[in-house]
């Protein structure tokens, strides 16, 4: 399985929760804290390194919060 | 009768309903949307017509149609939407079909914003659209006054077979104030003698604004002008406040009129002899009373939420330049600001609240022809 | 069979011949005034057809007409009906206002192609979308007649007009617009057809369609529209007969006659 | 006598209703009153505020550039309005969601952990009413019973079941200051 | 250079072409249709853009788009069509996009007729649409002057990034007169620094009229007002004719201005000392020169083909009521009629042509506030 | 397969793990500013898709956007493109003006359903009829979002909105309007499809359609339009995930996804 | 063959000639004179009584110039 | 010196062109000149007219309520304009299509059977030019050669082949009055 990760732009997140529902490995959850705009931003809980960099979180996110990274060369 | 808190937009809507409105056609636009939303349940509940149009152009022509059938029809909008209605309004006025329009003005020009403004003064008092006519324009300063004026607007529209405009701004539309609502009027279904109803046993009736011959069209215009002269003679409305001994006169309408009232009180407390002239009918402008008052004061300050549109009327009527304070784009003049703009300063320096570090106020304040020339 | 009035108006003796009965008379729903239409202009034909249908349905006293801005701007002076004159393109909105407050009356608009298919497209589409129970008589003569023959959205590819002097070039000015086809897809539309008045046979078919359009309204089924291909000899710079041939030979191929939607 | 009150917070915190409640109560108390919201798209997700003016004579401007009283339900509101408060004014701040802002010496500051108090009273969403209670305990611009009565009369139908909780929250807010006021006295 | 007979509409169109117009969008309406028709062959022949829009609303927004790209874009219409453009014009002015509009006025209100009129004076000089601004309005009296003003209109529009309006009437559009056409200008394709061209190696540019914050929108308005003040300072245009020793002053613009010129000559022949003040820029109105002139005359007569729209400006500027002669609906005042309307009668009774049995002239002629109050 | 940027922007080492390559980055064609859209509003999703397509086609520096009046009124502040802000409904006319004078640039409008399918129907239809070579991103969320959730011509039968409190009644307020279906019949239209953003799979399909729409313009084939079913959690009074389900369960049956016209 | 006739409202006629082309018996022709509006109106030249009252002239005429009469009862 | 001329007739009789020809000639003769047509839908099928004003100084009104000269090409025009002619004016009337109207004693009346003269000159449609010739023979408001020259220069391309016929018609019209004038003298 490809290994990957995501970088979360915490301040862009509006806490809508859409990404949480689509991550195939349930790696995303809402922070209890607030960001500057008063939203609970999402966070990656991937201690086991399960993220595949599949990018569906980025696809569903309306606020371009995620950058997604994957191991190895980018397929073209 | 009970007094209740009403939101301006909803109060105006309810007043229209109680004044016997048969049909409403409108299109959403902030800050008047609550009017439409309120009527979307209220009118059908009474078995009357509510229809959201596809546009302001659609709305005004639906009103034109319903009004041509002799019904009490009206629409509401805000500045950009009003611009779109200009052609339709001109047709309605030329056809002498009675109808009522509510304009809850917002900041312009262009898309501007949704904050309060008075920058449709020209658009509404100087013939809406092309051609020679003026709508009858009423400018309330409180929600109660808006209700009271709305209550008579259909009667005026039918009396003169003319376009009546209730001209307010976002503040009046959005604010809540105590209101005593008039009762729901039940109107007998009396069809006026010009209404389109189907030509049953009588010659057909036409409602048109087309007069191909120059003499015919001049005839229409002379008829319109005669009617306007009548309206000017009978429908001037205004309020004077503490003008009896005033040395300085503030002239302001609508929301600014009520703010200026506070300014008058503040200035009086500071020992200045200030009064307020508040035109309620903007067309016909209460020219005589203002001209008369102007002869007894030393200075006149016009305050508006625009760049000085009513000012031009005031200058024409008083026969010379006046002082002016204008805020635009949704900025609302404060009573303090108005007091400060008064040309004559009080002799004693008076302590005043509210100067704690706020940004310096931008404003137009001048005494010359240049920009309005 | 010639169109027959339901009620013969009068019997009369003509030059000593046997009793002749009128089979074709001036319709009640027209006023006996001179129209300003050019010689051979089929606006007149269409006026007559509409008037005959209203007579035959017996609805003259409860029919309201909304006239357009276009050559038919004076239609309200020619029809013997309560009527009004909408701003350019806005007849369907005005008709909506009338019909909504007078739901038992019959309301129709009479509109040209510049009026309905150019400046007023929004109003007709949304009247159709709302399913307004009105009837629309849509006279397509492929030009702005009134203003002197400029290109309309219905002008034919290659058609020379006073504002397409090199002929309408679809690559620049687009293709003609097909209104009944466009409206037929809407549930609010109950009747949408195209007819022509270029021959006696077509005129008769057009009358039937107009009748069915009004019947659709009487039955409360939704919006009914009859597009009618019509001539403009003046701006086409043709004689009246040649103009009818032009409809048959040039317009019909671009604007196929037919029923695009018939409900009820 | 004229008092201007701004109530500000996040959309959803009930700032508009709190203002309306005050306005209804003022009318019931036979005062002149105006209420005006911030309106339009900037409401969306962002902050909302309203202004209530209660007066003995007809109200001129329904807005106050320098309100006497500010109820700040969140951090941005506290930051925005603290410097705008009029001379000798009052700032009631919801310390559950806002830090206590720096204020001028002439401004009286009332910190209330409104969320906690509201939660204790039965519903987190009643922080608005808590703050109202605290306000009226501090500055009796209207008699508290009139406000309680208004609560009964004007609570929207769909929130009727929360009437008791509302009343409790109001009293808890009131009590919190009552006590503090007593302590300060 | 050669002088040729030109029809007004075509001459204006050709002048626009020669002034470097890049793009025209328009919709047919009498009495300006020849403008559109002329350009339908002329613009493509030069490889420029001509497009017949689906409506006046479409046309003005196409102009808005093309002008946003930094091109010299314009449209033309007549009164009802101009009403439909009000919203778009307000957007254009607020966005500070330069563009040119030609209004060949016709009789109104409503559908009215297609005869000449000056009843768009208000609509054009008092902020077209909602909000605070004035277009720069130029009113030619001859076909030559129309050509000359059209020739500079794009330059003015670009100089101020503002809306410039050429305001004429059906007579000027339809008549032929000798014209000396300026040469065809070749403009280097210099893109102004604000134009939308694609953000190549620079930050993106936005053209908008939206300023959500009240302070921001007031900022825009102050900028607009400052610009208008500049325009008012630099762009006043007028003509005085035989005013040096005048005791009576006629004020008239456009077509009526040229007719009034004949009236001045006729009155002078009858021994009356009459002069003409003809504003060429209607906004900015040449206030100072008129104010100055007004101090040296005994009476002022305003003549218009409307119910007295410019009269209001004149009264404001001279500080009191003036005499007025207005014809409407396509009726055109004659020189004789104007002479007759002059308030001071000549001492000697003078023989005058043209009174052989014509119907008595209907007109508005008054000296009071009433109908314009 | 996740959408892949043509050019990986940077390589970086993340917490000592092996070299990770970016497969999903912030698009060049967006500005890194906070948008005013409500949480979960799919306007944001659609913005991103459009920006990615522009990036991938390498046309950022020659693309001009026309923003609408609606919730997307500030789109010009969010896209990293030359752009302008049309009056309500008039974006296609403004785009026409731009494209006609700058035929080599890529011009697109971004419009809501109130903007395009109500007040601006005339402008879109005539841009389509003329075959303007522009691209239209049409965001249908079945309400007027910006003004607080009033009924739109696209509102569903029975849908409760702030101006149809009893639910939209087709007998009174008409049926929803289907724009791509209506435009597909016009020769000037080269690409007319409907997509949705209610799931990852649909979002990917939507992106492909947007890409093809821009390609259609690049190929000079005619007007291209992608209607996109979009959510308005705020005015629908739903949570963001529920709003996506609403699209899937309620909107798609009324507005079937699909290709109504594809040329080239 | 049914016998019939037409009555022509001479002043309504605009001389467009359309009726002339459709009469199955060529019974219609333009007058050389003018009517009040300056048109050459149509006239019936039916000395042989060939008119059947078929009415096609009335159908094609844009200006409602013809009244058509036929012998016997009107068919319904 | 200022002369106003109205030319009126049926649409198709060439009244607009006759006026333009006069205007072109006036310009060639270095006069101030205006030409204005009646316009709009009433043209359609009905009557058309135009007004030409020729002057030594800039022309004020391009219209004349009481023109000095009227060329009436048909009956309705003769009826309409005869009473409007200015004091001491001139009425040229096409007797082929109009009866001679009653005129005031101060008005000079020139009847011309223009259709017949035109037909003789080669084309019925040249009646307009015939009337112009008759006018110039009667009132030399412009030198006849200038008008003939204008005919050469401004006859539209599509009528070029009729140039000789036009010239002949103009001369025939001129001659008709020349003769009459001589007879009257
Ligand atoms: C707002 C507006 N724009 C333009 C016009 C000018 N106008 C009058 S009729 C017409 C065109 C009519 O064409 P059409 O609808 O096809 O009718 P037709 O004359 O061909 O029967 C136009 C553009 C107008 N009166 N009002
Ligand atoms: C002429 C005009 N009319 C009305 C409005 C008010 N208005 C602003 S946005 C909008 C509706 C937008 O709805 P939609 O296009 O569906 O976009 P959404 O907000 O749903 O994305 C309206 C009616 C306006 N600004 N201008
Ligand atoms: S990239 Fe895939 S696996 Fe990783 S967080 Fe996002 S959705 Fe989950
Ligand atoms: S989808 Fe985006 S905005 Fe929504 S919670 Fe996830 S990261 Fe935040
Ligand atoms: S211009 Fe054309 S459409 Fe109009 S009346 Fe004449 S022939 Fe008919
Ligand atoms: S109101 Fe609706 S469409 Fe607008 S931003 Fe919020 S969720 Fe999106
Ligand atoms: S009724 Fe028939 S036969 Fe008689 S004239 Fe008319 S067309 Fe000819
Ligand atoms: S068809 Fe009618 S108008 Fe035409 S010539 Fe015959 S009778 Fe006259
Ligand atoms: Mg047409
Ligand atoms: Mg929407």
């Amino acid at each position: 399985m490809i290994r990957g990760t995501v970088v979360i732009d915490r301040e862009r997140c509006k806490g809508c929760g859409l990404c949480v529902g689509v991550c195939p490995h349930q790696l995303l959850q809402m922070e209890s804290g607030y960001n500057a705009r008063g939203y609970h931003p999402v966070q990656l809980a991937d201690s086991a390194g399960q993220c595949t960099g599949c990018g569906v979180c980025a696809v569903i996110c309306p606020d371009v919060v995620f950058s997604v990274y994957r191991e190895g060369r980018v397929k073209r | 009768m009970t007094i209740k808190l009403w939101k301006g937009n909803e109060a105006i809507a309810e007043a229209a309903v109680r004044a016997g409105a048969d049909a409403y056609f409108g299109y959403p636009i902030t800050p008047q949307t609550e009017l439409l939303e309120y009527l979307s349940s209220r009118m059908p509940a009474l078995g009357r017509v509510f229809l959201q149009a596809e546009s302001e152009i659609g709305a005004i022509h639906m009103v034109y149609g319903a009004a041509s059938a002799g019904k009490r029809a009206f629409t509401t909008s805000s500045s950009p939407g009003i611009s779109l209605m200009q052609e339709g309004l001109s047709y309605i006025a030329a056809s002498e079909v009675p109808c009522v329009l509510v304009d809850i003005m917002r900041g312009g020009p262009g898309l501007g914003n949704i904050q309060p403004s008075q920058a449709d003064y020209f658009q509404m008092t100087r013939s809406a659209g092309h051609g020679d006519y003026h709508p009858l324009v009423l400018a309330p300063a409180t929600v109660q006054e808006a209700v009271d004026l709305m209550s008579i607007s259909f009667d005026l529209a039918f009396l003169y077979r003319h376009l009546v405009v209730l001209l307010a701004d976002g503040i009046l539309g959005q604010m809540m104030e105590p209101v005593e609502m008039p009762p729901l009027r039940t109107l007998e279904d009396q069809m006026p003698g010009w209404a389109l109803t189907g030509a049953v046993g009588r010659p057909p009736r036409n409602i048109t604004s087309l007069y191909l011959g120059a003499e015919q069209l001049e005839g229409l215009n002379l008829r319109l002008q005669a009617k306007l002269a009548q309206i000017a003679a009978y429908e001037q409305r205004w309020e004077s406040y503490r003008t009896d001994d005033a040395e300085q006169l503030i002239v302001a309408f609508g929301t600014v009129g009520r703010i200026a009232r506070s300014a008058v009180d503040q200035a009086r407390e500071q020992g200045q002899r200030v009064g307020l002239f508040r035109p309620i009918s903007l067309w016909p402008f209460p020219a005589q009373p203002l001209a008369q008052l102007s002869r007894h004061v030393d200075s006149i300050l016009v305050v508006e939420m625009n760049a000085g549109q009513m000012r031009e009327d005031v200058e024409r009527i008083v026969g010379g330049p006046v002082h002016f304070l204008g805020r635009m784009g949704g900025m609302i003049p404060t009573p303090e600001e108005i007091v400060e703009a008064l040309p004559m300063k009080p002799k004693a320096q008076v302590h005043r609240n509210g100067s704690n570090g706020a940004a310096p106020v931008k404003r137009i304040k001048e005494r010359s022809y240049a920009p309005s020339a | 069979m010639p169109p027959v009035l339901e009620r013969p108006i009068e019997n009369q003796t003509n030059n000593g011949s046997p009793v002749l009965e009128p089979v074709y008379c001036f319709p009640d729903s027209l006023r006996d005034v001179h129209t300003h239409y050019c010689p051979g202009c089929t606006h007149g034909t269409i006026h007559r057809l509409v008037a005959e249908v209203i007579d035959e349905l017996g609805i003259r006293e409860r029919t309201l007409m909304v006239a357009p801005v276009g050559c038919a701007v004076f239609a309200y002076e020619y029809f013997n009906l309560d009527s009004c004159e909408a701003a350019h393109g806005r007849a369907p909105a005005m008709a909506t206002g009338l019909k909504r407050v007078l739901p038992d009356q019959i309301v129709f608009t009479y509109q040209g192609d510049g009026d309905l298919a150019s400046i007023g497209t929004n109003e007709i589409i949304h009247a159709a979308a709302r399913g307004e129970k009105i009837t629309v008589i849509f006279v397509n003569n492929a030009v702005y007649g009134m203003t002197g023959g400029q290109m309309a959205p219905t002008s034919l590819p290659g058609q020379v007009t006073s504002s397409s002097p090199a002929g309408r070039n679809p690559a620049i000015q687009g293709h003609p617009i097909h209104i009944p086809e466009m409206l037929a897809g809407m549930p609010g539309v109950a009747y949408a057809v195209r007819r022509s008045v270029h021959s006696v046979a077509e005129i008769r078919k057009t009358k039937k369609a107009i009748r069915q359009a009004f019947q659709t309204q009487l039955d409360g089924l939704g919006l009914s529209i009859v597009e009618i291909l019509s001539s403009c000899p003046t701006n086409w710079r043709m004689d009246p007969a040649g103009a009818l041939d032009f409809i048959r030979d040039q317009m019909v191929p671009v604007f196929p006659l037919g029923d695009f939607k018939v409900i009820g | 006598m004229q008092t201007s009150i701004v109530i500000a917070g996040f959309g959803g915190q009930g700032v508009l209703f709190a203002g309306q409640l005050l306005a209804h109560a003022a009318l019931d108390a036979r005062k002149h009153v105006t209420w005006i919201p911030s309106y339009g798209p900037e409401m969306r997700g962002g902050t909302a505020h309203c202004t209530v003016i209660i007066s003995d004579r007809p109200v001129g401007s329904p807005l106050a550039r320098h309100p006497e009283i500010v109820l700040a339900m969140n951090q941005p509101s506290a930051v925005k309005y603290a410097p705008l408060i009029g001379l000798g004014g009052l700032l009631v701040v919801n310390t559950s969601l806002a830090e206590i802002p720096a204020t001028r010496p002439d401004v009286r500051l009332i910190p209330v952990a409104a969320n906690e108090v509201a939660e204790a009273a039965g519903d987190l969403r009643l922080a608005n009413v808590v703050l109202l209670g605290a306000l009226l305990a501090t500055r009796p611009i209207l008699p508290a019973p009139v406000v309680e009565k208004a609560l009964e009369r004007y609570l929207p139908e769909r929130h009727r079941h929360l009437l008791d909780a509302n009343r409790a929250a109001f009293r808890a807010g009131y009590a919190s200051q009552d006590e503090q006021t007593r302590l300060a006295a």
Side-chain angles (χ1 to χ4, degrees), chain A, chain B, chain C, chain D:
Chain A
M1 204 176 251
I2 313 166
R3 281 191 56 218
T5 194
V6 299
V7 175
I8 289 167
D9 187 339
R10 190 173 176 275
E11 289 308 317
R12 288 191 69 89
C13 178
K14 290 180 184 155
C16 72
L18 289 177
C19 54
V20 174
V22 298
C23 173
H25 304 286
Q26 268 90 45
L27 304 175
L28 300 168
Q29 60 187 42
M30 309 318 288
E31 268 185 45
S32 62
Y34 294 91
N35 64 12
R37 307 215 167 240
Y39 298 119
H40 298 286
V42 86
Q43 61 190 12
L44 179 68
D46 188 18
S47 47
Q50 285 181 283
C51 175
T52 57
C54 71
V56 299
C57 51
V59 172
I60 202 82
C61 175
D63 284 282
V64 209
V65 168
F66 297 95
S67 305
V68 182
Y69 295 84
R70 245 187 295 172
E71 203 176 284
R73 282 227 53 82
V74 175
K75 272 204 241 165
R76 296 213 169 233
Chain B
M1 258 178 236
T2 52
I3 296 185
K4 269 182 50 186
L5 269 191
W6 280 88
K7 187 163 195 178
N9 280 332
E10 295 179 351
I12 293 169
E14 178 62 24
V17 167
R18 298 196 182 195
D22 294 301
Y24 172 87
F25 306 91
Y27 190 76
I29 184 168
T30 313
Q32 65 82 44
T33 306
E34 295 87 356
L35 254 158
L36 172 136
E37 291 177 343
Y38 182 90
L39 293 164
S40 72
S41 55
R42 183 75 168 125
M43 293 289 278
L46 293 168
R48 304 187 190 171
V49 172
F50 168 88
L51 191 62
Q52 186 175 317
E54 67 273 19
S55 70
E56 290 86 354
I57 292 183
I60 193 64
H61 286 91
M62 291 174 191
V63 166
Y64 190 13
S68 297
K71 301 293 184 178
R72 299 192 155 207
F74 75 122
T75 186
T76 64
S77 192
S78 180
S79 313
I82 301 290
S83 289
L84 285 172
M85 294 184 183
Q86 299 288 302
E87 190 202 23
L89 295 174
S90 181
Y91 270 71
I92 286 172
S95 305
E96 299 191 81
V97 159
C99 92
V100 173
L101 167 69
V102 178
D103 177 5
I104 308 291
M105 294 177 279
R106 58 185 248 182
L111 187 49
N113 64 20
I114 57 176
Q115 302 305 314
S117 162
Q118 298 186 319
D120 289 2
Y121 180 94
F122 277 148
Q123 168 149 276
M124 290 286 81
T125 63
R126 292 293 173 281
S127 77
H130 57 287
D132 282 298
Y133 79 99
H134 304 267
L136 201 172
V137 184
L138 302 171
T142 65
V143 178
Q144 181 67 59
E145 193 174 39
V147 164
D148 296 344
L149 293 174
M150 192 71 206
S151 300
I152 58 168
S153 59
F154 283 110
D155 296 337
L156 289 173
F158 274 73
L159 178 61
Y160 295 108
R161 289 182 59 182
H162 198 51
L163 169 62
V164 174
V165 176
L166 194 76
L167 190 71
D169 62 63
I171 288 185
L172 215 67
Q174 295 295 324
M175 73 188 289
M176 289 179 100
E177 262 190 316
V179 169
E180 182 177 330
M181 268 291 160
L184 190 71
R185 268 167 69 181
T186 45
L187 296 162
E188 328 76 273
D189 202 20
Q190 258 192 358
M191 274 301 153
W194 46 262
L196 305 185
T197 54
V200 183
R202 57 161 173 76
R205 295 176 182 155
N206 300 328
I207 289 188
T208 184
S209 64
L210 172 64
Y211 293 79
L212 208 54
E215 271 150 49
Q216 285 74 6
L217 186 56
E218 186 169 64
L220 166 72
N221 272 291
L222 291 169
R223 196 163 76 233
L224 288 177
Q225 292 298 322
K227 175 163 83 179
L228 292 175
Q230 258 206 314
I231 295 176
Y234 291 114
E235 303 301 342
Q236 295 184 15
R237 286 172 168 76
W238 71 93
E239 185 199 17
S240 299
Y241 180 64
R242 303 183 84 167
T243 51
D244 282 356
D245 62 342
E247 292 168 350
Q248 305 177 67
L249 187 67
I250 300 175
V251 184
F253 72 94
T255 294
V256 182
R258 65 186 289 157
I259 298 173
R261 206 182 153 98
S262 300
V264 167
D265 292 343
Q266 284 189 17
R268 289 258 173 195
E269 278 165 29
Q270 296 170 21
Q272 300 188 66
R273 301 239 291 266
V274 179
L276 168 69
F277 182 81
R278 181 171 68 85
I280 296 169
S281 59
L282 300 184
W283 202 96
F285 196 95
Q288 298 299 354
L290 174 61
Q292 214 161 315
L293 257 180
S294 72
R295 285 192 277 279
H296 303 110
V297 296
D298 300 329
S299 74
I300 294 178
L301 171 67
V302 174
V303 189
E304 297 178 79
M305 292 199 292
N306 64 40
Q309 301 189 7
M310 180 180 69
R311 169 175 58 157
E312 291 195 2
D313 278 333
V314 173
E315 287 184 346
R316 184 168 51 83
I317 288 159
V318 306
V322 297
H323 295 267
F324 178 67
L325 170 65
R327 299 305 304 261
M328 293 174 289
M331 297 303 289
I332 300 150
T334 59
E336 294 78 18
E337 203 177 341
I338 297 175
V339 171
E340 209 176 292
L342 282 168
M344 285 201 326
K345 288 286 161 231
K347 267 150 219 144
Q349 208 51 30
V350 179
H351 169 80
R352 201 156 73 254
N353 271 357
S355 54
N356 39 8
V361 175
K362 293 174 219 149
R363 64 168 168 255
I364 305 178
K365 184 179 153 190
E366 61 198 40
R367 194 197 160 85
S368 83
Y369 278 120
S372 73
Chain C
M1 213 194 60
V4 167
L5 281 178
E6 301 276 348
R7 45 197 160 74
I9 298 173
E10 42 167 350
N11 287 6
Q12 78 173 57
T13 307
N14 186 300
N15 297 334
S17 58
V19 171
L20 288 171
E21 300 204 347
V23 289
Y24 219 105
C25 306
F26 196 88
D28 276 1
S29 294
L30 285 184
R31 301 193 212 184
D32 188 8
V33 294
H34 191 84
T35 72
H36 71 293
Y37 297 116
C38 305
C41 173
T42 46
H43 265 304
T45 316
I46 298 167
H47 277 32
R48 177 170 48 78
L49 299 181
V50 171
E52 287 173 4
V53 165
I54 293 172
D55 281 4
E56 293 170 19
L57 293 172
I59 54 173
R60 191 189 72 76
E61 294 187 336
R62 61 180 183 115
T63 298
L64 311 177
M65 179 181 62
V66 184
V69 174
C71 276
V73 72
F74 281 121
Y76 63 82
E77 294 203 343
Y78 304 150
F79 280 92
N80 189 22
L81 304 167
D82 270 15
S83 51
C84 56
E85 172 32 56
H88 191 30
R90 317 306 176 196
M94 200 165 181
T96 297
L98 279 165
K99 183 75 181 184
R100 291 275 173 159
V101 298
L102 299 175
D104 297 333
Q105 305 304 72
I106 303 302
V107 178
F108 78 98
T109 69
Y110 184 109
Q111 304 181 256
D113 47 330
D115 194 71
L116 182 143
S118 189
I119 193 170
T121 315
N122 213 20
E123 284 71 26
I124 185 63
I125 287 201
H126 285 283
R130 288 190 305 267
E132 297 297 340
K133 286 150 198 73
I134 60 172
T135 298
V136 177
I137 305 298
F138 169 34
V139 180
N140 176 1
N141 59 10
V143 284
Y144 290 81
M146 172 70 125
T147 43
Q150 294 79 27
M151 193 188 77
T154 45
S155 293
L156 308 181
Q159 189 178 340
V160 171
T161 72
S162 65
S163 64
S164 58
R168 179 182 191 162
N169 178 351
I172 295 171
Q173 292 135 327
H175 285 268
I177 195 166
H178 292 78
I179 293 290
E181 285 91 329
M182 204 193 298
L183 299 187
M186 297 186 171
V189 174
Y191 188 71
V193 304
R194 183 179 292 112
R195 295 291 185 271
S196 172
V197 289
H198 67 259
S199 70
V200 169
E202 293 301 333
I203 292 172
R204 288 181 171 151
K205 286 190 211 158
T206 300
K207 179 167 171 188
K208 282 211 189 85
I210 293 172
R211 189 174 169 121
Q212 191 162 352
F214 276 92
Q215 191 61 52
T216 299
Q217 182 175 173
L218 282 162
D219 296 344
L221 299 177
L223 185 132
S224 50
I225 178 167
V226 184
E227 173 172 335
I228 304 168
L229 305 185
S230 182
S231 72
C232 180
T234 300
N235 287 303
W236 297 352
R237 298 176 198 290
M238 292 176 189
D239 64 43
L244 297 189
D245 294 347
F246 181 85
I247 298 181
R248 184 191 60 214
D249 300 337
Q250 306 293 325
M251 284 185 80
V252 172
V254 174
F255 294 105
L257 308 183
D259 296 355
F260 305 101
K261 185 160 194 181
V262 179
I263 285 184
Chain D
M1 249 297 287
Q2 176 157 317
T3 313
S4 50
I5 306 116
V6 164
I7 310 180
F10 286 130
Q13 283 189 298
V15 301
L16 301 188
F17 175 70
Q20 287 182 1
L21 193 65
L22 217 47
H24 281 299
L27 176 57
D28 290 346
R30 308 199 162 277
K31 303 273 187 184
H32 291 275
V33 63
T34 62
W35 170 96
I36 189 165
S38 61
Y39 60 90
E42 81 277 15
M43 282 170 60
R44 197 153 299 156
T47 57
H49 71 264
C50 67
T51 305
V52 177
I53 310 231
I54 300 172
S55 179
D56 293 331
R57 46 185 187 188
V59 180
S61 177
L63 288 154
R65 204 161 288 175
H66 303 293
E68 279 110 44
I69 298 171
V70 170
L71 270 61
M73 296 198 58
N74 67 2
Q75 178 69 14
S77 305
V79 170
K80 179 171 174 195
Y81 287 102
L84 294 177
I85 294 175
L87 212 63
L90 174 71
L91 173 65
V92 185
V93 61
N94 177 9
T95 53
S96 311
L97 287 181
E99 290 161 29
I100 296 178
T103 47
R104 297 192 314 270
D106 64 291
V107 171
R108 170 127 184 240
L109 184 86
I110 308 286
V112 188
N115 284 24
E116 282 76 10
V117 177
E119 225 158 357
D123 197 314
L124 175 76
R125 285 170 298 172
L126 301 177
N128 55 347
V129 184
V130 170
L131 288 188
L132 273 192
L135 163 64
L136 290 182
T138 321
R139 288 243 173 134
I141 50 173
L142 292 170
V146 175
V147 179
E148 273 198 36
K149 188 86 195 156
L151 209 42
E152 269 165 46
R153 293 176 59 186
Y154 302 108
L155 199 67
E157 212 46 64
R158 65 182 189 282
H159 293 143
R160 269 265 162 266
H161 61 286
L162 291 176
L163 177 58
D164 286 339
N166 266 276
R167 205 183 284 116
F170 178 75
R171 289 184 181 171
Y174 193 91
S176 75
Q177 291 319 299
D178 226 25
E179 205 168 307
Q180 288 196 15
T181 311
R182 254 177 294 137
L183 290 179

